[in-house]
Amino acid sequence: MIELENVAYSYGGGELLSEVSLKLSPGSFHFLTGPSGSGKTTFLRLCYGALTPTAGHAQLFGRDVRDMTRDDVAMTRRRIGVVHQDCQFLDHLPLAENVALPLIVSGRDTLQEQTNLKDLLGWCGLSHRAKALPPELSGGERQRAALARAVIMSPDVILADEPTGNVDYEMSQRLMTLLIELNRMGKTIMIATHDLGIIRSTKSQVQARVLRIVNRRLQLAGADL
Amino acid sequence: MKALRDRFNTLMSGEGPADRVVPPTGFTASLTLFASAVMAFLAVFALALSLATGRLAHDWGAELARSATLRISAPEDQIEAQTQAALRVLETTEGVATARALGSDEQRALLAPWFGPDLPVDELPIPQLIEIVEEPQGFDAAGLRLRLQAEVPGAVLDDHSRWRRPLVRAAERLRALGWLSILLIGGAMGAVITLAANAALAANAQVITVLRLVGARDVFIARAFVRRFTIRALVGAGIGMIAGCLAILALPAAQDEGGFLTGLGFQGLQWLWPLVVPPVAAAVAFWATRSAANRTLKDLA
């Protein structure tokens, strides 16, 4: 699905990531760890085509990112749900419409998906906030809304950058349960986090692999985690 | 054609969910509206100028071309004879419909603006004028001059081309200037709307980022902006066009004394021309916003 081959990325200056190779197969569950500033977010951006590698090849769904037009990238994003660390929304639209935004931009009938939307908001504990505008939401609520928005299209891959960063333990468990549930349905999941507790509790429920960025390189972490 | 019509219909159909993704912007919206109204108002005037001067050039050209004057200056005792001779020559000239010697009353009327009504025409050595009305195909002025020279030495033929040409040329220049103004107005409107669209795109950078993140194609994002600016330009130009037409209606009607200035306006079917202004404004806005949006989007991730 997502294949990186000897990928390097530099923002000018030195390389932030080098010789990164990874193959995300369908249904896999990955954690991505590493000290802050090590390039976790950049790595995720490479995975959804927001950045083009400065060296090496990145393939999304069998196509090289360099050969993709902007429309191709857009179509690919409909199959990859992304949760950003700083979740951005359309601040003038209520939360429910923000969550349904991927449906709107892909031209789906939002009326038909109303029940799905309701269920999803319920699942994320956001039903009572459906009419609130994004600036009125708390950090945790924004995070949950971003996750709901990322999964509403039922994407093949879900990439999440610190999805549990702003939520309490109970809610983070709940979000993880949602992600594990999606993984069991065959979705590929990649979560960047430095919360080892989350990784441990998840590993007891699914077979998750832990990737770690050390010295600009991607390593498969040992079984000690 | 059908595809085009469908696109137009989707463009014009009211606020869909896709439209709401761009936040409403009250202030710039009214500025765009105002600018296109002003441009349309000016365009209507430029249009009126072009059409009026075009009409003028045509009228002057046609009226003056159909007539000529023969002036006979001779000693008093020979005037009558020479006039008769000239009339005979003119009667046999091909292309001359009628030739008529002006009576002294008519000559006095012609001179009155310069010398006052009490001019004793009979006592002055005033040349005799012969009014020639041409047939549509006109006559050979050079040939006629040669013949007159031989038979009526005191005759001077004035086919009016000497002062007709600069007038017609001036009118044609004015008309060209009018069309140039219309082009410039259109260009200025495109520039204003491009600036407004760029400002809107810059102000909505976050909206665009979010839309890209959730898989919106550039077309979708651009359309949300393009539709807004197109509709604003159409409505604004409509208002400006109506105001311009009312202003032209309020101008005094054409009068002989006023010359061409009071003839500024539309006649008959020409009133349909202003109706073209709003759609053209909308087309300019459509094109300007679309290229601005595409340019901006291409530079974003």
Side-chain angles (χ1 to χ4, degrees), chain B residues 82-148:
Chain B
Q82 290 210 11
T83 304
Q84 291 309 321
L87 285 173
R88 271 197 305 279
V89 169
L90 288 170
E91 270 160 26
T92 57
T93 303
E94 204 166 320
V96 174
T98 58
R100 184 176 65 85
L102 294 187
S104 55
D105 287 350
E106 287 171 288
Q107 302 224 49
R108 188 179 300 140
L110 280 175
L111 291 171
W114 280 272
F115 297 111
D118 304 325
L119 185 73
V121 176
D122 301 329
E123 293 163 26
L124 286 172
I126 289 174
Q128 171 69 46
L129 295 180
I130 297 177
E131 186 192 39
I132 304 168
V133 177
E134 295 173 29
E135 282 176 355
Q137 75 270 22
F139 58 81
D140 171 18
L144 181 61
R145 275 201 190 93
L146 283 174
R147 283 180 62 201
L148 285 169

Side-chain angles (χ1 to χ4, degrees), chain B residues 50-77:
Chain B
S50 299
L51 292 173
T53 48
R55 207 161 54 226
L56 207 65
H58 177 262
D59 288 355
W60 280 347
E63 264 169 35
L64 297 172
R66 278 197 301 272
S67 69
T69 315
L70 193 65
R71 195 171 75 237
I72 297 168
S73 323
E76 207 163 338
D77 50 335

